[in-house]
Every structure is written in C-alpha cells, then in structure tokens.
Amino acid sequence: GIQVEQSPPDLILQEGANSTLRCNFSDSVNNLQWFHQNPWGQLINLFYIPSGTKQNGRLSATTVATERYSLLYISSSQTTDSGVYFCAVEDTGGFKTIFGAGTRLFVKA
Amino acid sequence: AAGVIQSPRHLIKEKRETATLKCYPIPRHDTVYWYQQGPGQDPQFLISFYEKMQSDKGSIPDRFSAQQFSDYHSELNMSSLELGDSALYFCASSWLGQFEGYTFGSGTRLTVV
C-alpha cells in the first residue's frame, strides 16, 4: 500500500518562530489532507490540498503531486499551535485515507 | 455549523464484553469513516461506508463489525473486547459530491479493563 513519511518527527519552537513540515508519499494519490491534533485529542482539518497552494491565516500548504510531496508552513507560531500535525493521503480508487506518523510540535512561550 | 457527533465520549468495558459506538455525520455527507488511534500512534483506518454500503476496509478485526443506517448514522460494534482494544475511536464524514476533506468527530475513548 501507499507509504506516507513525515518529517521532522518532533519539533520544538520558540513562540513567534516559523517552521516547515514535510510529507512525502510513495505513489499517486487522489487527495491529500493536513490535520492538527490538539493536546485534547481533537483532529482538525487544516487543508484539503491535492495540488497547488492554499493559505489560511498563519498557515499555508503546498502540494507538488508530480514530485509526491507536500509542505505545511506555520508562521509566527503560537503556543496554541502545539500538538501533532498529520499528513493523510487517499489511495487512488479507494475510500480510505492513510495517515503519516505525524510531526509532534511544541511551541514554547 | 453542525459537526460530526460521536457517542459516547468515554466508555469503560471489561474484557470479553461488547461495545457499540455511534456516529452521526454532518447532514448531507454521504460517506462515513472509522479510525482507531492507540496512544502515541497515528489513526488507523478501520472501515468506510458510502451511501450506506461498505466502501473500503482496513485492518479491522473480525470481532468488529459496522454498518450505516438509512438516516446515514453509523455504528461500530466491538465484541469479545481485549485489553489491546483500548484506544481512541474516531468517526469522520465527507461529501463525495463536493469533496473538501474529512470532518472528524471528537472521538470515543474506549478503555478495556
């Protein structure tokens, strides 16, 4: 099946810093999503981004489907950005989405 | 805006008991997905339903079964519970007609003792 790799696995930032999270996937995908799981366990959809670039406030994402990677940018990080960021891709022709292992982010005040 | 509703939020069961988890998708969403997340792990796909028919299946134990009803809500039935079944169980829904990604419920935390 499709493989999803995220890097870095862990990241510690000072409040106000910027960061880039990466997601590589092994095969063609139907779609790609980025999620944030907060410390209370809630999974929040950040972006549905099969290709191209999207921005939402301090967050933006870019997917280059032909090169099989996606990037999530966090600017001016805040303590509330802490949690785990998951990249998830859907197998072509399937109804299931596979998650990467996530990037665990901790933002220090 | 309406979200995905899961019940119960927390559930404690003994080994070998049965548990039923419920999921109410966002109105108009036609697809429901179930995921299991162990401590410190990423969510693992269990099963999905599109228009009340099973659409895909992941690593779901034979002791588990699920279905989607005529009102689109879904239930995950888990029998002969084992300690290893303790996890967070998420339900998500989406609308295939205008796909914009998954919306997840708040999850059910199952503890098997």
Side-chain angles (χ1 to χ4, degrees), chain B residues 45-112:
Chain B
F45 172 76
L46 292 178
I47 195 166
S48 61
F49 293 88
Y50 169 65
E51 285 291 347
K52 294 158 280 185
M53 299 288 291
Q54 182 182 309
S55 51
D56 215 330
K57 201 170 180 180
S59 306
I60 182 169
D62 292 341
R63 300 178 289 106
F64 293 8
S65 65
Q67 56 181 322
Q68 187 177 29
F69 296 85
S70 58
D71 64 351
Y72 289 89
H73 94 272
S74 179
E75 294 183 4
L76 177 66
N77 296 291
M78 309 158 70
S79 63
S80 303
L81 287 169
E82 302 172 357
L83 296 179
D85 295 328
S86 296
L88 199 50
Y89 289 84
F90 285 104
C91 168
S93 72
S94 69
W95 182 26
L96 225 60
Q98 189 173 338
F99 188 81
E100 295 178 342
Y102 291 9
T103 300
F104 276 88
S106 297
T108 293
R109 185 171 297 280
L110 172 67
T111 302
V112 182

Side-chain angles (χ1 to χ4, degrees), chain A residues 35-105:
Chain A
F35 294 93
H36 176 223
Q37 187 165 38
N38 65 26
W40 296 271
Q42 286 185 301
L43 274 166
I44 307 298
N45 191 313
L46 299 175
F47 295 103
Y48 161 60
I49 184 165
S51 64
T53 297
K54 289 185 177 179
Q55 180 154 11
N56 185 0
R58 296 181 296 103
L59 302 182
S60 64
T62 295
T63 297
V64 183
T66 53
E67 297 186 23
R68 299 178 185 170
Y69 74 88
S70 182
L71 302 173
L72 177 69
Y73 305 96
I74 304 174
S75 65
S76 304
S77 57
Q78 300 176 358
T79 57
T80 51
D81 295 332
S82 297
V84 184
Y85 289 81
F86 289 107
C87 168
V89 302
E90 184 177 285
D91 274 341
T92 53
F95 280 83
K96 66 181 178 184
T97 288
I98 306 301
F99 281 71
T103 290
R104 188 173 301 274
L105 173 65

